[in-house]
Amino acid sequence: MITSEKTSLIPSSDNNGGLRSARKISGRSIALVCICAYGIAALLFGNVDKEDNKSVALMRKSKASKGDKSGDSKEYDCESDTMYSKHTVKTAYERPFAALFKDNKGQNKFEASSVTIVGDSAYAVCDSSYAIAKFDDALPFSDENKMIGSPERDGDVESGFEAIFHHKGLFYVIRESVLHHHHDDDNIEEEEEDEDSIEADDKHSFHAIIEELELGDDNYTVKAECMCEFEFEGTSKGFEGAAGFPDATGELYILGLCEGNHCSEERKADAGHGRMVMMKKNTISDPDDPEGVNCVWETVRMIHIPNSAKFIDYSAIDITADGRVAITSQENSALWIGYVEGIENGVINPETFEFVQDSGETYQFPKSNDCHTVYCNIEGIHWINDQMLMGVSDKMKSKGKQDYRCFEKDQSIHAFVLP
């Protein structure tokens, strides 16, 4: 508060009176000048601050609209979201893969891609290893947790395993999309080619491979290895998840989840157009080799995922015996829960199987304390019970492709609780 002081302008009889009055006048003048200067500065710099704040807000909005490298694709404020707890799953417990195994068979990376639960044990595959991870679904460190099989096969560790499920004592694992060469002359030597740069044409095609594995205590046997009839456009957007059910006659049908929208590389980002491919196995004997057998997983038909699962990509799926569905998206860091019809008590009717189109609700995975995406690489999901699901995370993408916050949850197993 500014107060005024009465000061006489008439010189005092005191010799110093005039000087004292002059000093008081001079002091007031300086004070008034300072106040004016301060006011003008406040107006000027206040406007600058407002403009700066406006610029910062616009920058933040621009960054949010473009999406940051952690996977956030829109402007979102956790603090102002009064329904955050209603559409966000809760982490019950989690642990890195490396913390589960006494003997990891020399593996130092776990690019987890799928998980399934059989009894009290969980089984997971990584696209960076041919070994099958077996562990207690409560995630303790234990001698019983094992890596089954060798991480390498023919000197290669890049398995391309993207899905695993169990049926009648066998584990079915799917290699995402594998390059196949077509040659009229079997004597033509194949040239060294970069698969990522090759496009499908009359000499090349891309198909998933389904392996049937019989697991032992420390190793496994490949009982069959069959190509899928369905053709992809390249190596990077093939089957990313799968489920399998027998029909009333016992014949197994596999439902392959396409990673890209429309099951396409070219149209992969057209969100809300997820697809599954229904397949059944056809085995043909080789007349030139009585013991030789050719097999292929023939396409039965395409299944449309409801567009309420409006995802940029589709990274995993699990379907219960009564038709409850969980689908995840890595890019959206989200989980869709819905239903299918045509499955009853674990038996599929391949003619009536469809998603219930008006069903489905989307949940997000938990955010960090500063509201950033941290579950950036969920690539596997499996129901634990009606309210809990187990997920697995791939390795964080390096070289600046993902935000550093993605590192915290990568290469791990998680248990989530629905709201």
Side-chain angles (χ1 to χ4, degrees):
M1 181 171 64
I2 300 174
T3 60
S4 61
E5 179 182 358
K6 288 186 178 180
T7 306
S8 175
L9 299 180
I10 301 173
S12 170
S13 58
D14 187 346
N15 291 334
N16 294 325
L19 182 58
R20 284 198 299 269
S21 297
R23 286 176 176 172
K24 289 180 180 180
I25 294 172
S26 176
R28 268 211 317 273
S29 300
I30 292 172
L32 288 171
V33 171
C34 291
I35 290 169
C36 292
Y38 178 80
I40 293 170
L43 288 173
L44 291 174
F45 290 102
N47 287 334
V48 172
D49 288 342
K50 287 179 182 178
E51 290 301 316
D52 286 346
N53 290 336
K54 185 177 179 181
S55 299
V56 170
L58 289 172
M59 289 172 64
R60 288 175 177 171
K61 185 174 181 180
S62 175
K63 181 180 178 182
S65 65
K66 293 178 181 178
D68 67 17
K69 295 173 184 177
S70 64
D72 294 336
S73 59
K74 62 180 181 178
E75 189 172 11
Y76 176 66
D77 182 5
C78 298
E79 188 174 355
S80 64
D81 182 3
T82 59
M83 300 296 288
Y84 179 86
S85 64
K86 301 299 182 183
H87 55 242
T88 305
V89 300
K90 188 178 183 67
T91 304
Y93 53 90
E94 58 191 5
R95 187 179 292 265
F97 269 94
L100 288 176
F101 306 99
K102 184 176 182 180
D103 180 11
N104 60 17
K105 296 192 173 181
Q107 298 178 93
N108 58 8
K109 65 177 179 177
F110 298 87
E111 298 180 7
S113 52
S114 184
V115 63
T116 190
I117 298 175
V118 181
D120 294 329
S121 295
Y123 298 81
V125 291
C126 301
D127 58 18
S128 58
S129 172
Y130 282 94
I132 310 296
K134 177 185 177 182
F135 50 91
D136 190 308
D137 60 10
L139 307 187
F141 176 85
S142 170
D143 290 341
E144 299 299 317
N145 297 338
K146 293 183 177 181
M147 301 300 298
I148 300 175
S150 171
E152 295 186 7
R153 187 185 292 182
D154 300 325
D156 182 24
V157 297
E158 299 299 325
S159 66
F161 288 164
E162 291 290 349
I164 183 171
F165 68 89
H166 181 264
H167 175 67
K168 286 189 174 181
L170 293 177
F171 286 86
Y172 291 74
V173 297
I174 298 183
R175 299 176 65 189
E176 179 178 13
S177 182
V178 179
L179 173 65
H180 293 262
H181 297 269
H182 306 291
H183 293 304
D184 294 331
D185 186 349
D186 292 337
N187 294 322
I188 296 177
E189 294 184 2
E190 294 183 358
E191 299 178 358
E192 290 292 329
E193 297 176 283
D194 179 8
E195 292 189 8
D196 293 334
S197 65
I198 298 175
E199 296 181 354
D201 53 28
D202 57 350
K203 294 183 179 180
H204 310 92
S205 60
F206 298 88
H207 303 265
I209 299 292
I210 298 179
E211 296 186 2
E212 301 171 32
L213 310 181
E214 185 176 69
L215 270 59
D217 290 336
D218 298 305
N219 214 330
Y220 63 77
T221 302
V222 180
K223 306 296 290 184
E225 183 177 8
C226 309
M227 183 183 76
C228 295
E229 179 184 27
F230 189 85
E231 186 172 342
F232 293 100
E233 298 168 7
T235 58
S236 62
K237 297 295 177 185
F239 288 136
E240 196 76 357
F245 295 93
D247 69 1
T249 68
E251 183 173 15
L252 179 65
Y253 285 78
I254 291 181
L255 304 161
L257 175 70
C258 295
E259 180 179 4
N261 284 279
H262 301 281
C263 279
S264 169
E265 179 80 17
E266 183 178 350
R267 297 188 292 164
K268 62 186 178 183
D270 185 16
H273 296 87
R275 302 288 186 266
M276 295 184 70
V277 180
M278 180 184 288
M279 300 171 285
K280 67 176 181 179
K281 188 178 179 180
N282 186 15
T283 303
I284 305 170
S285 299
D286 187 347
D288 298 327
D289 182 3
E291 296 183 0
V293 175
N294 293 320
C295 57
V296 62
W297 285 92
E298 296 179 341
T299 300
V300 177
R301 60 191 177 92
M302 189 82 76
I303 309 295
H304 288 226
I305 297 170
N307 57 21
S308 59
K310 198 174 183 64
F311 293 153
I312 298 173
D313 75 328
Y314 302 82
S315 62
I317 187 169
D318 189 37
I319 306 175
T320 65
D322 61 353
R324 197 179 187 200
V325 184
I327 297 177
T328 59
S329 169
Q330 179 180 192
E331 293 288 338
N332 295 96
S333 188
L335 167 71
W336 182 86
I337 304 295
Y339 290 90
V340 294
E341 52 190 9
I343 288 182
E344 186 174 352
N345 297 322
V347 176
I348 191 171
N349 183 332
E351 296 180 358
T352 64
F353 177 89
E354 291 288 352
F355 281 88
V356 179
Q357 290 297 317
D358 59 353
S359 73
E361 189 165 355
T362 300
Y363 302 92
Q364 64 181 355
F365 290 107
K367 301 291 185 181
S368 67
N369 289 337
D370 56 356
C371 201
H372 281 85
T373 298
V374 289
Y375 289 94
C376 310
N377 299 292
I378 296 288
E379 283 208 15
I381 201 72
H382 191 90
W383 289 99
I384 297 175
N385 56 40
D386 289 344
Q387 282 298 115
M388 293 183 65
L389 299 108
M390 176 169 286
V392 294
S393 286
D394 195 357
K395 187 176 183 291
M396 169 188 165
K397 295 176 178 63
S398 60
K399 298 180 181 179
K401 294 179 181 179
Q402 284 188 316
D403 188 272
Y404 72 92
R405 300 173 186 87
C406 297
F407 179 68
E408 181 183 353
K409 306 295 183 181
D410 86 334
Q411 302 178 87
S412 298
I413 309 105
H414 325 275
F416 299 109
V417 183
L418 293 174

